[in-house]
Each structure stands twice: as structure tokens, then as C-alpha cells.
């Protein structure tokens, strides 16, 4: 939740206000990954705010509509760098609205927090850039209070990428390649898709449920059914596995595609029990917040793809 609503946040423009020769080209952003154990939780990259630029490592989050960073006066932001408005010649304190941002599953971990998670912020504006591109003035949230999980995780904040764009791109498209290559954990391409990052002929287009996507500011897709791959282990049917019949209560549903979350959410507890039951009956609830788990050695042995 954000109050005032996110419509107060002006869009980030990749190509900025300066005139360039020819059309703007897609920009690749190298990604790092937060992996506290064996699980990749969130992907982040460097974003530069102000003049001269101040660097922040931000989570690229398709489940959020805003850019959020620690402010100079933040008292609970731990070792994260703070944005210093007095050091930027292009800073504008307007519009100056106060906003509280709350997160449903904050911190990005695999276990939900029993404590409310969020940030207290002020909406301000300055130049924002990524990679080789410098943007025009953009509104963002400069926060003076971070909750415990925002403080604890390595990235400094969020770069929201909602379905109703708050970023202006050379083309209305961005793409993630989350395959590490030894130098980086993945790549975010703004303004297109980099074909060199994918095996030819393997990309599939899945249409959005646009009425829901537009009204919710999320990327929502229709789901015909969730299936657990049996037999061939991980890698799905293409790797030799067999997709079992769909789980009950997962047909004719919808799902949110959220790059800022490490959680898979099911319609209800019975669906979760059925899903994990196809892997092992030793995967059980571990708290009252909806988290399930088992010893790591067991999870490594029974892990299956869900398709």
C-alpha cells in the first residue's frame, strides 16, 4: 500500500529529455542475486540518482509501482547508502507528499515475517539513470524509516516495474534473463529483448489478463492448472519428467508474476498440502503465516518443477 496513491509518481524515462541522433536502443543492466542459502530470492542492479550520481543497488520488482531508496536522515537503514539531496544539483523536494509503503511479504525471504514490514517516505524528484542511460527527472520515495527486513536484506531498495508503466522505454518491452554466466547473475534488458541471451526458438509469449493487469498495476496471467512434474525430477517434461494432472482448485485461475517475491502463493492450505504431498509428506507447515518447510537435505532430494 502507498498513501498518497502511486499515481503521484511521475514516470522514469530511459531516453531522458536530451535529443539523440536516431532512436534509443535497448539497454542491458547486469544483475546480482540475493541468495542467503541455496535459493535465488531477488535480483537487483545499480541505479543512479541525482547529479552527480549517487549509486543504489535496487531490486527490480514487477510487483511494485515505485522507486524506493533510503534518505539521508534514515534512522533504521543499517549500512545501506543514503540519498543526500544536498549533494545533488538537480534535486527537487516537490511534490513533498508523505507516504507509508507496506509490503505483504516483505524482505523477499522464503518465510513470511510476523511483523508489519514497510517504510515511511517522502515523495521527491531527481534524475535517475541505469547502465549507460541517464533519465529525466523522476519522482521516487526517499525513506526515513525502514522496517527490519528491508534493513537486513542486501539490496538498498526497490525499483518498481508495474504493468501500467512508470518507465518510458524505446519499446514497450523489458525482459529478464536469470541465467548466471560467471560474471553476473542475470541481465535486465530495458526496451526490448536481447536474443543473444536465449537459446533460439525457446522463447514463448504468454498473454496478460489485461483487465486485471491494468486495474491492479500487476502482471497477471491466466492459469489453466498447476502441475507437479513427476518422474524426471527437475527440468520439466522437456528434461524427461511427466507433468501430473493439475492440482484441484488451480484450474481457470490467475497468477501474479512478481520478480520481487521469493514466494509461491496457492489459493488455500489444502492446495498447498496437495502440491507438497506430490513431493513428500514430510513437507509440513512451519508457522502460522502460511510457510511450509522440511530439512534441507530432504528438499534437495524431492524438489520438483511446478508447471
Amino acid at each position: 500500500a502507498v498513501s498518497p496513491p502511486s499515481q503521484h509518481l511521475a514516470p522514469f524515462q530511459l531516453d531522458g529529455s536530451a535529443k539523440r541522433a536516431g532512436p534509443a536502443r535497448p539497454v542491458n543492466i547486469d544483475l546480482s542475486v540475493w541468495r542467503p542459502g541455496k535459493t535465488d530470492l531477488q535480483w537487483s542492479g545499480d541505479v543512479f540518482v541525482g547529479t552527480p550520481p549517487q549509486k543504489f543497488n535496487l531490486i527490480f520488482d514487477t510487483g511494485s509501482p515505485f522507486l524506493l531508496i533510503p534518505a539521508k536522515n534514515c534512522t533504521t537503514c543499517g549500512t545501506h547508502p543514503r540519498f543526500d539531496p544536498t549533494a545533488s544539483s538537480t534535486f527537487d523536494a516537490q511534490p513533498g507528499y508523505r507516504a507509508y509503503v507496506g509490503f505483504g511479504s516483505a524482505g523477499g525471504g522464503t518465510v513470511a515475517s510476523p511483523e508489519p514490514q514497510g517504510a515511511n517516505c517522502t515523495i521527491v524528484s531527481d534524475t535517475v539513470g541505469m547502465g549507460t542511460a541517464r533519465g529525466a527527472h523522476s519522482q521516487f520515495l526517499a525513506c526515513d524509516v525502514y522496517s527490519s527486513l528491508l534493513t537486513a536484506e542486501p539490496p538498498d531498495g526497490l525499483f518498481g516495474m508495474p504493468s501500467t508503466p512508470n518507465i518510458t522505454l524505446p519499446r514497450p518491452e523489458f525482459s529478464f534473463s536469470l541465467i548466471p554466466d560467471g560474471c553476473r547473475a542475470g541481465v535486465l534488458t530495458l526496451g526490448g529483448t536481447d536474443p543473444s541471451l536465449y537459446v533460439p526458438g525457446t522463447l514463448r509469449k504468454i498473454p496478460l489478463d489485461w483487465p486485471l493487469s491494468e486495474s491492479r498495476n500487476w502482471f497477471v496471467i491466466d492459469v489453466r492448472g498447476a502441475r507437479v512434474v513427476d518422474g524426471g525430477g527437475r527440468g520439466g517434461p522437456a528434461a524427461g519428467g511427466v507433468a501430473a494432472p493439475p492440482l484441484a482448485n488451480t484450474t481457470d485461475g490467475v497468477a501474479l508474476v512478481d520478480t520481487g517475491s521469493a514466494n509461491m502463493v496457492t489459493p488455500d492450505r489444502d492446495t498447498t498440502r496437495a502440491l507438497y504431498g506430490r513431493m513428500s509428506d514430510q513437507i509440513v507447515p512451519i508457522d502460522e503465516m502460511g510457510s511450509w518447510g522440511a530439512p534441507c537435505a530432504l528438499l534437495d532430494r524431492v524438489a520438483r518443477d511446478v508447471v
Side-chain angles (χ1 to χ4, degrees), residues 38-74:
K38 296 183 178 181
T39 303
D40 294 343
L41 296 185
Q42 294 172 323
W43 285 265
S44 59
D46 291 339
V47 176
F48 301 90
V49 182
T51 307
Q54 302 175 43
K55 184 172 75 172
F56 299 89
N57 186 262
L58 304 183
I59 297 165
F60 293 110
D61 186 1
T62 58
S64 298
F66 38 72
L67 192 163
L68 179 153
I69 58 175
K72 181 181 180 180
N73 62 340
C74 183

Side-chain angles (χ1 to χ4, degrees), residues 200-242:
T202 61
L203 290 179
R204 295 179 56 194
K205 292 184 178 181
I206 299 175
L208 295 175
D209 184 320
W210 185 244
L212 280 178
S213 296
E214 184 179 32
S215 63
R216 301 287 182 171
N217 279 337
W218 295 335
F219 291 90
V220 181
I221 58 174
D222 295 320
V223 176
R224 294 194 297 268
R227 296 169 170 83
V228 177
V229 177
D230 296 326
R234 308 198 69 168
V242 177

Side-chain angles (χ1 to χ4, degrees), residues 111 276 281-287 290-296 298-299:
V111 177
Y276 285 128
D281 59 8
Q282 297 181 54
I283 303 176
V284 296
I286 58 175
D287 59 30
S291 303
W292 291 56
C296 293
L298 171 70
L299 293 177

Side-chain angles (χ1 to χ4, degrees), residues 107-165:
T110 56
V111 177
S113 170
E115 304 172 3
Q117 297 293 325
N120 292 316
C121 316
T122 301
I123 301 177
V124 296
S125 64
D126 208 332
T127 58
V128 178
M130 287 182 283
T132 58
R134 293 295 294 164
H137 257 72
S138 303
Q139 292 179 9
F140 59 91
L141 300 172
C143 304
D144 49 72
V145 176
Y146 263 16
S147 60
S148 59
L149 292 182
L150 281 172
T151 301
E153 66 184 19
D156 303 316
L158 302 177
F159 189 97
M161 307 181 76
S163 59
T164 50

